[in-house]
mmCIF file of all heavy atoms in Angstrom:
data_model
loop_
_atom_site.group_PDB
_atom_site.id
_atom_site.type_symbol
_atom_site.label_atom_id
_atom_site.label_comp_id
_atom_site.label_asym_id
_atom_site.label_seq_id
_atom_site.Cartn_x
_atom_site.Cartn_y
_atom_site.Cartn_z
ATOM 1 N N ILE A 8 -4.460 2.864 -0.803
ATOM 2 C CA ILE A 8 -4.829 2.112 0.396
ATOM 3 C C ILE A 8 -6.164 2.639 0.910
ATOM 4 O O ILE A 8 -6.340 3.841 1.114
ATOM 5 C CB ILE A 8 -3.728 2.220 1.468
ATOM 6 C CG1 ILE A 8 -2.429 1.619 0.919
ATOM 7 C CG2 ILE A 8 -4.162 1.509 2.746
ATOM 8 C CD1 ILE A 8 -1.245 1.673 1.864
ATOM 9 N N SER A 11 -10.039 -0.054 4.617
ATOM 10 C CA SER A 11 -9.938 -1.427 5.127
ATOM 11 C C SER A 11 -8.594 -1.679 5.799
ATOM 12 O O SER A 11 -8.415 -2.681 6.480
ATOM 13 C CB SER A 11 -10.112 -2.428 3.985
ATOM 14 O OG SER A 11 -11.386 -2.289 3.408
ATOM 15 N N CYS A 12 -7.658 -0.778 5.615
ATOM 16 C CA CYS A 12 -6.325 -0.935 6.203
ATOM 17 C C CYS A 12 -6.401 -0.883 7.726
ATOM 18 O O CYS A 12 -7.002 0.018 8.302
ATOM 19 C CB CYS A 12 -5.410 0.176 5.696
ATOM 20 S SG CYS A 12 -3.792 0.189 6.474
ATOM 21 N N VAL A 13 -5.757 -1.864 8.368
ATOM 22 C CA VAL A 13 -5.729 -1.894 9.838
ATOM 23 C C VAL A 13 -4.363 -1.461 10.378
ATOM 24 O O VAL A 13 -4.129 -1.481 11.578
ATOM 25 C CB VAL A 13 -6.076 -3.301 10.376
ATOM 26 C CG1 VAL A 13 -7.471 -3.717 9.947
ATOM 27 C CG2 VAL A 13 -5.045 -4.339 9.932
ATOM 28 N N GLY A 14 -3.458 -1.094 9.478
ATOM 29 C CA GLY A 14 -2.154 -0.618 9.931
ATOM 30 C C GLY A 14 -1.209 -1.701 10.412
ATOM 31 O O GLY A 14 -0.379 -1.471 11.289
ATOM 32 N N CYS A 15 -1.294 -2.881 9.818
ATOM 33 C CA CYS A 15 -0.441 -3.998 10.245
ATOM 34 C C CYS A 15 1.007 -3.840 9.786
ATOM 35 O O CYS A 15 1.910 -4.463 10.321
ATOM 36 C CB CYS A 15 -1.006 -5.317 9.738
ATOM 37 S SG CYS A 15 -0.808 -5.568 7.957
ATOM 38 N N ALA A 16 1.223 -3.025 8.773
ATOM 39 C CA ALA A 16 2.555 -2.685 8.255
ATOM 40 C C ALA A 16 3.242 -3.781 7.438
ATOM 41 O O ALA A 16 4.387 -3.612 7.024
ATOM 42 C CB ALA A 16 3.483 -2.222 9.369
ATOM 43 N N ILE A 17 2.547 -4.872 7.187
ATOM 44 C CA ILE A 17 3.149 -5.946 6.379
ATOM 45 C C ILE A 17 3.559 -5.413 4.999
ATOM 46 O O ILE A 17 4.654 -5.705 4.511
ATOM 47 C CB ILE A 17 2.145 -7.113 6.189
ATOM 48 C CG1 ILE A 17 1.780 -7.726 7.516
ATOM 49 C CG2 ILE A 17 2.681 -8.134 5.184
ATOM 50 C CD1 ILE A 17 2.711 -8.773 8.045
ATOM 51 N N CYS A 18 2.699 -4.624 4.398
ATOM 52 C CA CYS A 18 2.983 -4.136 3.053
ATOM 53 C C CYS A 18 4.250 -3.291 2.993
ATOM 54 O O CYS A 18 4.941 -3.288 1.987
ATOM 55 C CB CYS A 18 1.794 -3.343 2.523
ATOM 56 S SG CYS A 18 1.343 -1.939 3.567
ATOM 57 N N THR A 19 4.561 -2.593 4.080
ATOM 58 C CA THR A 19 5.757 -1.739 4.077
ATOM 59 C C THR A 19 7.025 -2.569 3.930
ATOM 60 O O THR A 19 8.021 -2.100 3.391
ATOM 61 C CB THR A 19 5.859 -0.885 5.354
ATOM 62 O OG1 THR A 19 6.066 -1.749 6.472
ATOM 63 C CG2 THR A 19 4.600 -0.067 5.571
ATOM 64 N N ILE A 27 5.568 2.947 0.926
ATOM 65 C CA ILE A 27 4.434 2.904 1.850
ATOM 66 C C ILE A 27 4.891 3.284 3.255
ATOM 67 O O ILE A 27 5.897 2.788 3.748
ATOM 68 C CB ILE A 27 3.798 1.506 1.880
ATOM 69 C CG1 ILE A 27 3.485 1.030 0.451
ATOM 70 C CG2 ILE A 27 2.516 1.518 2.728
ATOM 71 C CD1 ILE A 27 2.994 -0.409 0.389
ATOM 72 N N HIS A 33 -2.859 2.411 12.172
ATOM 73 C CA HIS A 33 -3.491 3.505 11.454
ATOM 74 C C HIS A 33 -3.357 3.240 9.951
ATOM 75 O O HIS A 33 -2.446 2.546 9.524
ATOM 76 C CB HIS A 33 -2.840 4.845 11.789
ATOM 77 C CG HIS A 33 -3.085 5.267 13.209
ATOM 78 N ND1 HIS A 33 -4.194 5.988 13.580
ATOM 79 C CD2 HIS A 33 -2.375 5.036 14.337
ATOM 80 C CE1 HIS A 33 -4.155 6.198 14.889
ATOM 81 N NE2 HIS A 33 -3.054 5.637 15.383
ATOM 82 N N HIS A 35 -2.329 3.245 6.339
ATOM 83 C CA HIS A 35 -1.065 3.576 5.689
ATOM 84 C C HIS A 35 -1.314 4.302 4.367
ATOM 85 O O HIS A 35 -2.436 4.317 3.865
ATOM 86 C CB HIS A 35 -0.262 2.294 5.466
ATOM 87 C CG HIS A 35 0.460 1.845 6.699
ATOM 88 N ND1 HIS A 35 -0.131 1.829 7.941
ATOM 89 C CD2 HIS A 35 1.733 1.412 6.892
ATOM 90 C CE1 HIS A 35 0.751 1.404 8.833
ATOM 91 N NE2 HIS A 35 1.892 1.141 8.226
ATOM 92 N N CYS A 48 2.512 -5.034 -2.964
ATOM 93 C CA CYS A 48 1.754 -4.676 -1.762
ATOM 94 C C CYS A 48 0.345 -5.261 -1.804
ATOM 95 O O CYS A 48 -0.163 -5.751 -0.799
ATOM 96 C CB CYS A 48 1.693 -3.168 -1.609
ATOM 97 S SG CYS A 48 1.082 -2.306 -3.074
ATOM 98 N N SER A 51 0.387 -8.761 -0.748
ATOM 99 C CA SER A 51 0.783 -8.977 0.652
ATOM 100 C C SER A 51 -0.309 -8.610 1.651
ATOM 101 O O SER A 51 -0.289 -9.087 2.786
ATOM 102 C CB SER A 51 2.044 -8.170 0.964
ATOM 103 O OG SER A 51 1.746 -6.787 1.064
ATOM 104 N N CYS A 52 -1.260 -7.778 1.241
ATOM 105 C CA CYS A 52 -2.264 -7.312 2.212
ATOM 106 C C CYS A 52 -3.374 -8.334 2.422
ATOM 107 O O CYS A 52 -4.157 -8.616 1.512
ATOM 108 C CB CYS A 52 -2.877 -5.992 1.756
ATOM 109 S SG CYS A 52 -4.081 -5.369 2.946
ATOM 110 N N LYS A 53 -3.450 -8.863 3.643
ATOM 111 C CA LYS A 53 -4.463 -9.865 3.980
ATOM 112 C C LYS A 53 -5.858 -9.258 4.064
ATOM 113 O O LYS A 53 -6.851 -9.967 4.068
ATOM 114 C CB LYS A 53 -4.128 -10.502 5.332
ATOM 115 C CG LYS A 53 -2.955 -11.447 5.282
ATOM 116 C CD LYS A 53 -2.717 -12.080 6.638
ATOM 117 C CE LYS A 53 -2.079 -11.098 7.589
ATOM 118 N NZ LYS A 53 -1.619 -11.729 8.844
ATOM 119 N N PHE A 54 -5.913 -7.947 4.166
ATOM 120 C CA PHE A 54 -7.192 -7.267 4.346
ATOM 121 C C PHE A 54 -7.719 -6.662 3.050
ATOM 122 O O PHE A 54 -8.717 -5.944 3.053
ATOM 123 C CB PHE A 54 -7.031 -6.184 5.416
ATOM 124 C CG PHE A 54 -6.566 -6.749 6.723
ATOM 125 C CD1 PHE A 54 -5.207 -6.813 7.017
ATOM 126 C CD2 PHE A 54 -7.459 -7.266 7.643
ATOM 127 C CE1 PHE A 54 -4.763 -7.367 8.211
ATOM 128 C CE2 PHE A 54 -7.031 -7.817 8.834
ATOM 129 C CZ PHE A 54 -5.678 -7.879 9.118
ATOM 130 N N ALA A 56 -6.771 -4.275 1.364
ATOM 131 C CA ALA A 56 -6.933 -2.826 1.534
ATOM 132 C C ALA A 56 -6.218 -2.016 0.466
ATOM 133 O O ALA A 56 -6.363 -0.809 0.423
ATOM 134 C CB ALA A 56 -6.424 -2.412 2.917
ATOM 135 N N ILE A 57 -5.433 -2.701 -0.380
ATOM 136 C CA ILE A 57 -4.706 -1.960 -1.411
ATOM 137 C C ILE A 57 -5.341 -2.259 -2.758
ATOM 138 O O ILE A 57 -5.412 -3.401 -3.198
ATOM 139 C CB ILE A 57 -3.213 -2.316 -1.412
ATOM 140 C CG1 ILE A 57 -2.637 -2.117 -0.007
ATOM 141 C CG2 ILE A 57 -2.478 -1.450 -2.439
ATOM 142 C CD1 ILE A 57 -1.161 -2.464 0.131
HETATM 143 S S1 LIG B 101 -0.785 -4.807 4.628
HETATM 144 FE FE1 LIG B 101 -2.858 -3.981 4.275
HETATM 145 S S2 LIG B 101 -3.737 -3.710 6.330
HETATM 146 FE FE2 LIG B 101 -1.508 -3.943 6.568
HETATM 147 S S3 LIG B 101 -0.722 -1.808 6.592
HETATM 148 FE FE3 LIG B 101 -0.610 -2.569 4.477
HETATM 149 S S4 LIG B 101 -2.541 -1.890 3.529
HETATM 150 FE FE4 LIG B 101 -2.804 -1.768 5.724
#
Side-chain angles (χ1 to χ4, degrees):
I8 299 179
S11 298
C12 174
V13 299
C15 72
I17 298 275
C18 58
T19 66
I27 309 174
H33 292 272
H35 280 44
C48 53
S51 73
C52 182
K53 287 182 285 190
F54 302 92
I57 306 179

